[in-house]
């Protein structure tokens, strides 16, 4: 059995937990609070760490549940991710290309934000965090096959909607 250290095993997950919470709540301040609360809950359960198969999946599960509770509490009145969360523009592109790239990125973010929660969570954990299907299934409490189906449906929905917008406009 591996000895789990808060400093070495749990704290390095804070950025990934923040991104998951942000993807679910779409509120950066609320996401920071959720990550802090997640860390506190994990620390409070330190006596049972040796019984946990994956501390990472355990942390993601707590974070996801807290984020979902937050949405229920606040009525999910958020619009979208903030502009400052995007990467800095590529300086090798001319301004027109940068504008097109940024517009497309905004459209994709909006489409991801509109996905059902389970699809959005699966996609966040797999495509943005690079988690294996097994861990995602453990975090979300579903089977690996359901994870794959949710990711496939999310990608298809984004692809279809993006093509409609790209071809015909908003």
């Amino acid at each position: 059995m591996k000895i789990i250290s808060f400093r070495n095993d749990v704290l390095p997950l804070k950025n990934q937990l923040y991104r998951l919470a942000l993807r679910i709540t779409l509120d950066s301040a609320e996401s920071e609070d959720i990550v802090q609360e997640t860390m506190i809950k994990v620390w409070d359960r330190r006596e049972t760490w040796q019984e946990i198969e994956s501390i990472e999946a355990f942390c993601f599960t707590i974070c996801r549940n807290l984020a979902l509770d937050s949405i229920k509490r606040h009525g999910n009145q958020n619009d979208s991710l903030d502009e400052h969360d995007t990467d800095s523009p590529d300086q090798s592109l001319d301004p027109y290309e940068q504008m097109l790239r940024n517009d497309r990125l905004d459209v994709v973010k909006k489409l991801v934000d509109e996905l059902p929660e389970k699809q959005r969570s699966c996609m966040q954990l797999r495509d943005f965090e690079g988690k294996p299907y097994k861990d995602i299934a453990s975090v979300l409490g579903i089977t690996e096959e359901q994870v794959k189906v949710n990711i496939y449906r999310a990608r298809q929905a984004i692809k279809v909607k993006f093509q409609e917008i790209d071809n015909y406009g908003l």
Side-chain angles (χ1 to χ4, degrees), residues 117-128:
E117 186 278 324
K118 194 164 279 192
Q119 289 180 4
R120 191 171 60 221
S121 294
C122 287
M123 189 173 206
Q124 169 71 26
L125 290 169
R126 179 67 182 176
D127 293 339
F128 301 122

PDB file of all heavy atoms in Angstrom, residues 117-128:
ATOM      1  N   GLU A 117     -24.415  18.451 -17.978  1.00  0.00           N
ATOM      2  CA  GLU A 117     -23.358  18.404 -16.964  1.00  0.00           C
ATOM      3  C   GLU A 117     -22.495  17.158 -17.061  1.00  0.00           C
ATOM      4  O   GLU A 117     -21.279  17.234 -16.977  1.00  0.00           O
ATOM      5  CB  GLU A 117     -23.990  18.518 -15.563  1.00  0.00           C
ATOM      6  CG  GLU A 117     -22.981  18.634 -14.450  1.00  0.00           C
ATOM      7  CD  GLU A 117     -22.415  17.295 -14.034  1.00  0.00           C
ATOM      8  OE1 GLU A 117     -23.156  16.302 -14.032  1.00  0.00           O
ATOM      9  OE2 GLU A 117     -21.213  17.244 -13.741  1.00  0.00           O
ATOM     10  N   LYS A 118     -23.090  16.000 -17.233  1.00  0.00           N
ATOM     11  CA  LYS A 118     -22.319  14.754 -17.252  1.00  0.00           C
ATOM     12  C   LYS A 118     -21.382  14.717 -18.455  1.00  0.00           C
ATOM     13  O   LYS A 118     -20.222  14.329 -18.350  1.00  0.00           O
ATOM     14  CB  LYS A 118     -23.246  13.541 -17.257  1.00  0.00           C
ATOM     15  CG  LYS A 118     -22.503  12.259 -16.924  1.00  0.00           C
ATOM     16  CD  LYS A 118     -23.449  11.162 -16.555  1.00  0.00           C
ATOM     17  CE  LYS A 118     -23.850  11.349 -15.129  1.00  0.00           C
ATOM     18  NZ  LYS A 118     -24.535  10.266 -14.504  1.00  0.00           N
ATOM     19  N   GLN A 119     -21.865  15.155 -19.625  1.00  0.00           N
ATOM     20  CA  GLN A 119     -21.013  15.197 -20.813  1.00  0.00           C
ATOM     21  C   GLN A 119     -19.892  16.206 -20.627  1.00  0.00           C
ATOM     22  O   GLN A 119     -18.739  15.955 -20.979  1.00  0.00           O
ATOM     23  CB  GLN A 119     -21.838  15.556 -22.056  1.00  0.00           C
ATOM     24  CG  GLN A 119     -22.767  14.461 -22.510  1.00  0.00           C
ATOM     25  CD  GLN A 119     -23.569  14.854 -23.734  1.00  0.00           C
ATOM     26  OE1 GLN A 119     -23.387  15.929 -24.309  1.00  0.00           O
ATOM     27  NE2 GLN A 119     -24.484  13.984 -24.138  1.00  0.00           N
ATOM     28  N   ARG A 120     -20.231  17.357 -20.052  1.00  0.00           N
ATOM     29  CA  ARG A 120     -19.237  18.409 -19.825  1.00  0.00           C
ATOM     30  C   ARG A 120     -18.156  17.916 -18.857  1.00  0.00           C
ATOM     31  O   ARG A 120     -16.968  18.123 -19.091  1.00  0.00           O
ATOM     32  CB  ARG A 120     -19.944  19.651 -19.286  1.00  0.00           C
ATOM     33  CG  ARG A 120     -19.092  20.879 -19.256  1.00  0.00           C
ATOM     34  CD  ARG A 120     -19.889  22.129 -18.921  1.00  0.00           C
ATOM     35  NE  ARG A 120     -20.530  22.028 -17.631  1.00  0.00           N
ATOM     36  CZ  ARG A 120     -21.763  22.445 -17.370  1.00  0.00           C
ATOM     37  NH1 ARG A 120     -22.502  22.973 -18.307  1.00  0.00           N
ATOM     38  NH2 ARG A 120     -22.267  22.311 -16.168  1.00  0.00           N
ATOM     39  N   SER A 121     -18.561  17.234 -17.803  1.00  0.00           N
ATOM     40  CA  SER A 121     -17.591  16.719 -16.830  1.00  0.00           C
ATOM     41  C   SER A 121     -16.698  15.656 -17.455  1.00  0.00           C
ATOM     42  O   SER A 121     -15.478  15.658 -17.248  1.00  0.00           O
ATOM     43  CB  SER A 121     -18.323  16.129 -15.622  1.00  0.00           C
ATOM     44  OG  SER A 121     -18.995  17.132 -14.917  1.00  0.00           O
ATOM     45  N   CYS A 122     -17.296  14.741 -18.207  1.00  0.00           N
ATOM     46  CA  CYS A 122     -16.508  13.694 -18.870  1.00  0.00           C
ATOM     47  C   CYS A 122     -15.496  14.311 -19.820  1.00  0.00           C
ATOM     48  O   CYS A 122     -14.323  13.925 -19.843  1.00  0.00           O
ATOM     49  CB  CYS A 122     -17.420  12.731 -19.635  1.00  0.00           C
ATOM     50  SG  CYS A 122     -18.371  11.601 -18.603  1.00  0.00           S
ATOM     51  N   MET A 123     -15.949  15.268 -20.597  1.00  0.00           N
ATOM     52  CA  MET A 123     -15.071  15.911 -21.572  1.00  0.00           C
ATOM     53  C   MET A 123     -13.961  16.686 -20.866  1.00  0.00           C
ATOM     54  O   MET A 123     -12.802  16.642 -21.298  1.00  0.00           O
ATOM     55  CB  MET A 123     -15.880  16.828 -22.476  1.00  0.00           C
ATOM     56  CG  MET A 123     -15.117  17.371 -23.629  1.00  0.00           C
ATOM     57  SD  MET A 123     -16.230  18.261 -24.713  1.00  0.00           S
ATOM     58  CE  MET A 123     -15.344  18.093 -26.226  1.00  0.00           C
ATOM     59  N   GLN A 124     -14.295  17.393 -19.804  1.00  0.00           N
ATOM     60  CA  GLN A 124     -13.295  18.151 -19.047  1.00  0.00           C
ATOM     61  C   GLN A 124     -12.208  17.221 -18.523  1.00  0.00           C
ATOM     62  O   GLN A 124     -11.022  17.487 -18.685  1.00  0.00           O
ATOM     63  CB  GLN A 124     -13.965  18.892 -17.877  1.00  0.00           C
ATOM     64  CG  GLN A 124     -13.000  19.493 -16.886  1.00  0.00           C
ATOM     65  CD  GLN A 124     -12.234  20.684 -17.416  1.00  0.00           C
ATOM     66  OE1 GLN A 124     -12.702  21.370 -18.314  1.00  0.00           O
ATOM     67  NE2 GLN A 124     -11.069  20.938 -16.870  1.00  0.00           N
ATOM     68  N   LEU A 125     -12.629  16.137 -17.891  1.00  0.00           N
ATOM     69  CA  LEU A 125     -11.658  15.232 -17.282  1.00  0.00           C
ATOM     70  C   LEU A 125     -10.821  14.501 -18.325  1.00  0.00           C
ATOM     71  O   LEU A 125      -9.631  14.276 -18.124  1.00  0.00           O
ATOM     72  CB  LEU A 125     -12.370  14.232 -16.374  1.00  0.00           C
ATOM     73  CG  LEU A 125     -12.956  14.842 -15.101  1.00  0.00           C
ATOM     74  CD1 LEU A 125     -13.861  13.843 -14.393  1.00  0.00           C
ATOM     75  CD2 LEU A 125     -11.856  15.311 -14.174  1.00  0.00           C
ATOM     76  N   ARG A 126     -11.415  14.128 -19.444  1.00  0.00           N
ATOM     77  CA  ARG A 126     -10.685  13.364 -20.457  1.00  0.00           C
ATOM     78  C   ARG A 126      -9.864  14.269 -21.375  1.00  0.00           C
ATOM     79  O   ARG A 126      -8.663  14.093 -21.548  1.00  0.00           O
ATOM     80  CB  ARG A 126     -11.666  12.530 -21.285  1.00  0.00           C
ATOM     81  CG  ARG A 126     -11.023  11.729 -22.377  1.00  0.00           C
ATOM     82  CD  ARG A 126     -10.154  10.649 -21.823  1.00  0.00           C
ATOM     83  NE  ARG A 126      -9.512   9.923 -22.912  1.00  0.00           N
ATOM     84  CZ  ARG A 126      -8.640   8.982 -22.734  1.00  0.00           C
ATOM     85  NH1 ARG A 126      -8.302   8.615 -21.529  1.00  0.00           N
ATOM     86  NH2 ARG A 126      -8.098   8.389 -23.758  1.00  0.00           N
ATOM     87  N   ASP A 127     -10.514  15.247 -21.994  1.00  0.00           N
ATOM     88  CA  ASP A 127      -9.857  16.043 -23.026  1.00  0.00           C
ATOM     89  C   ASP A 127      -8.986  17.165 -22.470  1.00  0.00           C
ATOM     90  O   ASP A 127      -7.976  17.518 -23.071  1.00  0.00           O
ATOM     91  CB  ASP A 127     -10.892  16.625 -23.988  1.00  0.00           C
ATOM     92  CG  ASP A 127     -11.583  15.551 -24.806  1.00  0.00           C
ATOM     93  OD1 ASP A 127     -11.023  14.450 -24.940  1.00  0.00           O
ATOM     94  OD2 ASP A 127     -12.700  15.806 -25.301  1.00  0.00           O
ATOM     95  N   PHE A 128      -9.385  17.752 -21.341  1.00  0.00           N
ATOM     96  CA  PHE A 128      -8.626  18.873 -20.809  1.00  0.00           C
ATOM     97  C   PHE A 128      -7.656  18.454 -19.710  1.00  0.00           C
ATOM     98  O   PHE A 128      -6.614  19.055 -19.544  1.00  0.00           O
ATOM     99  CB  PHE A 128      -9.565  19.972 -20.295  1.00  0.00           C
ATOM    100  CG  PHE A 128     -10.492  20.498 -21.361  1.00  0.00           C
ATOM    101  CD1 PHE A 128     -11.864  20.444 -21.180  1.00  0.00           C
ATOM    102  CD2 PHE A 128     -10.009  21.026 -22.531  1.00  0.00           C
ATOM    103  CE1 PHE A 128     -12.732  20.918 -22.153  1.00  0.00           C
ATOM    104  CE2 PHE A 128     -10.855  21.500 -23.513  1.00  0.00           C
ATOM    105  CZ  PHE A 128     -12.231  21.446 -23.327  1.00  0.00           C
TER     106      PHE A 128
END
